[in-house]
Amino acid sequence: MSGSTHAEPTKYTEPTDRLVGRSVRRREDPRLLTGRGRFVDDIQLSGMLHAQFVRSTVAHGTIASIDLSAVREVPGVIAVFTAADLGLADISPRLDRPLSEFVPTDMPILAHDRVRFVGEPVAIVIATDAYAAEDGLEAAKVAYATLPPITSDTRALAPGAQLVHDEAPNNTLVDVAMFATEGIDAIFDTAACVVRVRTRTGRQNALPLETRGAVAEWDAKEEQLVLHTCTQTPHQVRTVAAQCLHLDERAVRVIVPDMGGGFGQKCVVGREEIAVAAAALRLNRPVKWIEDRKDALTASFLAREQTYDVRAAFDSDGRILGLDADVVCDMGAYSCYPFTAGIEPLMASAEMPSVYRVPAYRVRGRAVTTNKAPTAPYRGVSRPQYVMVVERLFERAARELGLDAVEIRRRNVITEFPYTGVNNITYDPGSYLESLDLCEQVVKDEGWYTAKEAAAAEGRNLGIGYACFSERTGYGSSAFAARKMEVVPGFDLSEARMDTTGAVTITTGTQSHGQSHETTMAQIAADVLGVDLAKVRIHQGDTDRIAYGWGTFASRSIVVGGSAVRLAARRLGEKVLALGAHLLGVGEADAELHGGGVRVRADHDRALAFARIAETAYLKAHLLPKDMEPGLTATASFDVFNDGTFSNATHGVVVELHRGTGRVEILRYICVEDCGVAVNPQVVEGQCRGGIAQGIAGALFEQVSYDDNGEPSATSFMDYKVPTAHEIPDVAIHHLETPCLFNETGAKGAGEGGTIGAPAAVLNAVNDALAPTGVELDNTPVTPETVQRALEQLS
């Protein structure tokens, strides 16, 4: 269900003591901080073997021969398998679009005739320990007939370019012109001001602290493959594993233990865990694979590399008249499951107008395939890129028109809600103008404009930058269906169950990988039922225990999953109330939930604890009302059948550029955010700060580059520059609250906003500091070398 207005039956009112909105301590922390967490690599099973992958050493070529005879002679090696040995079906993500818009391609579990990026798995080595498996890799001999590698989007689209996939003309997997307002050319021809931004963003790695991994075993009693893996989407892994292994889905159980981050990289289905499962089935022994950091940097799913060429038209008062955009996303060698290569260009095309009233819009979005590791969603999914482009356009227009950079935004942000944009998306109420005004005021009150002037007098370069944006969250089935996905995510399910002691177990189809679901979901359920938080247990990440779920991505967990939890808890509460009232001899309207039990409204001394009521439900069924079934369980689902709910924020950044080194130092970072009802404000702030750190990383530090042969440059942290605590500033967070009106929690998503706004705010601040040089930077990451060259213009 969706569109709830929170109307409640007259017989049932929720307890008034509220946990939602309080910074309850994370229930996960004692276990994780004292070393009692259980991650994939902690799993030890009797007779367990270890796997590693023979990976391609060339970016593009056909496999001429595979000689694994020496591998089998390596001490400790038990087996080695190729694609021909395992006979697995390919992973086949699909969009329901014509070939002119989407070209389907398949990703084999192990490459069998052709390799398409350095690091692509060609064979799997199974040994008694991880070291022997590594030794086995050294003995493998694979010969390739190399083909010209495609290492950039410009090479991919060049006339006559080598094709990465023979079925994909022009190396284009997605080509969609989603919007084209009639008369847009005339708008640009007659506009008082037209500005243009061309930008390229670096390829990144999501870098979860825990790399990917899997342990697979066959459960003979249940006749079931059990796959322990660190995924954000366990049910989707189950579906694909069953398809690739030619098993009934019932015969596959996916279990997710504690997980050390995902950030989107783990919300797609990888090929390695399927190969590990196949090996376990073939050998009838448990098999473990843990990705090492080199493979994580070079062969895992990457993200972000995009090129934008965007124009904006403004009138003489600084009001935007139109956007005209061409978006090209380098998606690497394969589409990812289930989102396909369309995930980035379709996101950018659909949502680029962002928080602004854009009356005319034209966009073309393309996904090109190259000989690089494939792309998966990464925190923000195109929004850090298109927000950066749009915010640069406003900065440039402000300069051309002689307007203040904040004022031009103020004249264009959406202020009346609901607002249906030129992109056919309806935006629910938000605080776009309020967040912008408050952020600017905080920067002024802290004296940063004065500090900037004083620094200039001393010959120092300080800059102030802003980014105003929204984050679409809680995508439901209709939003994903609009992308024409063949597999349509959206809904979530929950079950609430009370046992004979009055303790409550809640299942959720979401999957925490650092978002504190054990705490926040319990807060939601405990509020509804009026029980102590310690009495509520959250279960997730087990496809046999949770009926179905779409996992955690796109800031959906509290918006969608939390709504399902609240509905299920409410239905359980209604059943408990009905039974408690019956046992107390009063009508349901005369009783209420309170303090872990049911009491009579008019006589609080007449009460029954949940344990007493639950004991009756299970152990004394003869005392139940005739129309009531034994047990205390309830289920619920929740979906969103509109355009979702939009969080929003404004970020303000102060930087100093250091002459001589070109170093960008962030002096101050201010975030004014509105994610609706914050179930746990401390958790929200953690999400904001973590997201901002990753956004700063993309703006200033991280980039995966390739040489002309398609060899990745970053194979360790010596080459891939990750910011440390020294480079990430303290972040001042100010909360606004505009509740979502159509879900059960009032919450909007908070998982990605920090990452979305940071690159634009940092880049704008850098350009403000560079203003005296006349140099403008539009590409990220902004390197010290680039900054230093610009500063030398002042010499």
Side-chain angles (χ1 to χ4, degrees), residues 189-203:
D189 289 342
T190 59
C193 173
V194 175
V195 291
R196 186 176 192 173
V197 168
R198 295 170 174 165
T199 186
R200 184 181 294 270
T201 59
R203 200 170 193 83

Side-chain angles (χ1 to χ4, degrees), residues 646-697:
F646 289 79
S647 302
N648 67 270
T650 298
H651 291 191
V653 178
V654 183
V655 303
E656 180 171 3
L657 310 184
H658 290 275
R659 299 190 186 192
T661 64
R663 181 169 69 92
V664 178
E665 180 183 3
I666 299 176
L667 303 177
R668 187 61 167 152
Y669 203 110
I670 296 161
C671 168
V672 180
E673 68 83 30
D674 186 343
C675 65
V677 173
V679 173
N680 187 310
Q682 184 181 51
V683 169
V684 169
E685 292 192 3
Q687 290 290 305
C688 290
R689 290 191 171 94
I692 287 167
Q694 289 181 305
I696 291 171

